[in-house]
Amino acid sequence: MARVEFSTHLPTLFPQLAGGPLSVEASTVAEVIQRLEALAPGVAFYICDERGRLRKHVNVFVAGEMIVDRRALSDAVSSDTSVFIAQALSGG
């Protein structure tokens, strides 16, 4: 199972994601986000826009490398992969 971690902001907004790394069964980044949505409804829309594309302020790293496919989220995830989801915070 893939090990998923987050920057501190996401578990603050979605307490279901708190408590350390989560393990999810997935073969792509899109599937990781689907599994997270099942655990914490609303998180997928926070990470992705209405077209399912990764939002500009969000970055996803698989095994320490930033993903390439920000549109379909097809980057591969294996059972022993670490996935890190981070978002930049901005304001005026």
Side-chain angles (χ1 to χ4, degrees):
M1 296 177 83
R3 176 183 163 149
V4 185
E5 296 183 81
F6 315 94
S7 56
T8 57
H9 190 66
L10 275 175
T12 301
L13 294 173
F14 300 94
Q16 306 92 318
L17 304 178
L22 298 175
S23 294
V24 298
E25 190 72 36
S27 60
T28 66
V29 171
E31 288 180 8
V32 167
I33 293 171
Q34 289 172 357
R35 302 302 182 269
L36 295 176
E37 177 68 16
L39 294 170
V43 73
F45 190 68
Y46 192 83
I47 295 170
C48 299
D49 66 16
E50 60 280 348
R51 294 181 182 157
R53 299 174 181 173
L54 201 60
R55 291 187 182 276
K56 291 180 182 181
H57 69 279
V58 176
N59 287 308
V60 176
F61 299 86
V62 174
E65 298 290 327
M66 192 178 303
I67 64 169
V68 176
D69 184 4
R70 295 181 62 90
R71 288 183 177 209
L73 308 173
S74 65
D75 294 70
V77 173
S78 64
S79 61
D80 61 347
T81 302
S82 65
V83 177
F84 183 71
I85 301 173
Q87 75 283 355
L89 298 178
S90 62

